[in-house]
Amino acid sequence: MKLPRLPFSAPRLHAPSQTTVDALKKIPQIRSFSDILDVAMEVPATRVEAAVRNLVEAHPHATIAELERRATNTYVSRAGLLSGLVGAGAAVPGAGTMIATGLTAGELVTFYANTTLYVLTMANLHGIEPDNLEQRRALVAAALLGDEGAKIVSDQLGLSTLTWARHQLKNMSSPTLNAVNKRLMKYAAKRATTKATSRAVGRLFPFGIGAAVGYFSGRKIAKQVVEGLRLSLGEPREGTAADIARRLDAIEVPHEG
């Protein structure tokens, strides 16, 4: 199966920071969904600002809404390609069930890292920069649950709107944030287990079918993340790439190494 090329060029990559290296070392120690998400959130933590800057530099005349669309299209395409490639690898004759399962487990970490980078990039474009791990966890976990995530947070906070992140994320007290995360993680863990199992089984089909199952399932899950994040963040801000650039120019982008 010929998979589509990425519609946009990948952002420039820097040497991994010590934080990223330390996070990757934790992968063999993963025992739960919470562990996976925590590792995934550490990997791109220092890359968000660089990703936003690369996006702005590549499209200097775009509106913020256009930047968000480009970031979203890239994210969905990458999710499909990653899942399709894993599906193809798992279906190679002689790979066996254990290898297929291992590939799927490895994909989960990569998918959540890619998702975290996308979620935090979109939040940055909205002018939201989570201060700590618990705020990042709430935003990412809610997005992973799609529209259900936005509903869970809104119900927990007693809001009449699903657009909670823009005004509520940075104002939540620690006890409230912990309660929100506890509920989100409970639902997200159940959903992750169900999806991982069904996708692992689907990839055991012959090569072309396994790749197709992986590709389309990866895109489907990514689109659910996009919808959940859209509900949580609300409509794009007014403004252009130049506005984002001016804000970034006042911040020293960390060089990893």
Side-chain angles (χ1 to χ4, degrees):
M1 177 182 177
K2 184 178 180 181
L3 298 178
R5 297 174 60 189
L6 283 175
F8 308 106
S9 60
R12 297 189 297 273
L13 297 179
H14 305 281
S17 67
Q18 190 58 49
T19 299
T20 298
V21 172
D22 291 342
L24 292 173
K25 288 179 179 178
K26 295 178 183 177
I27 290 178
Q29 302 170 19
I30 288 174
R31 296 292 181 271
S32 68
F33 172 78
S34 179
D35 291 343
I36 291 176
L37 196 57
D38 283 351
V39 169
M41 283 192 289
E42 284 192 54
V43 171
T46 58
R47 295 179 180 267
V48 176
E49 201 169 282
V52 174
R53 186 177 289 276
N54 288 342
L55 188 63
V56 167
E57 290 178 351
H59 309 285
H61 304 296
T63 64
I64 292 178
E66 289 169 344
L67 292 177
E68 291 192 11
R69 281 196 294 272
R70 289 181 181 278
T72 296
N73 288 339
T74 299
Y75 165 66
V76 173
S77 294
R78 284 176 175 169
L81 287 171
L82 169 66
S83 194
L85 290 172
V86 173
V92 170
T97 303
M98 290 302 294
I99 293 179
T101 303
L103 286 170
T104 301
E107 181 211 358
L108 283 176
V109 176
T110 307
F111 173 77
Y112 290 137
N114 187 37
T115 295
T116 300
L117 181 58
Y118 166 69
V119 169
L120 296 182
T121 295
M122 292 289 283
N124 189 291
L125 291 173
H126 274 260
I128 302 170
E129 298 182 48
D131 293 327
N132 54 54
L133 178 62
E134 289 305 314
Q135 290 181 1
R136 293 197 296 273
R137 190 202 301 269
L139 196 56
V140 174
L144 284 168
L145 286 168
D147 58 356
E148 184 183 1
K151 292 175 183 176
I152 288 174
V153 179
S154 294
D155 289 346
Q156 189 81 16
L157 298 178
L159 303 176
S160 58
T161 175
L162 298 181
T163 307
W164 62 273
R166 181 174 293 179
H167 302 294
Q168 300 294 325
L169 179 63
K170 304 197 68 164
N171 294 324
M172 280 191 275
S173 66
S174 294
T176 299
L177 188 57
N178 289 337
V180 166
N181 278 336
K182 183 177 181 180
R183 189 172 179 190
L184 285 172
M185 295 299 287
K186 176 182 177 181
Y187 284 91
K190 288 181 179 179
R191 177 171 292 188
T193 300
T194 301
K195 288 186 180 297
T197 300
S198 62
R199 293 169 77 191
V201 171
R203 289 180 179 141
L204 297 180
F205 290 115
F207 184 86
I209 299 176
V213 169
Y215 175 71
F216 289 110
S217 66
R219 286 180 63 89
K220 180 179 179 181
I221 293 175
K223 288 179 178 179
Q224 291 174 349
V225 170
V226 170
E227 176 61 15
L229 188 61
R230 185 189 67 80
L231 290 172
S232 296
L233 293 176
E235 296 299 319
R237 292 190 299 161
E238 295 292 331
T240 66
D243 297 321
I244 302 294
R246 279 191 291 272
R247 174 168 61 85
L248 292 176
D249 286 342
I251 305 172
E252 182 180 354
V253 179
H255 294 283
E256 299 180 310

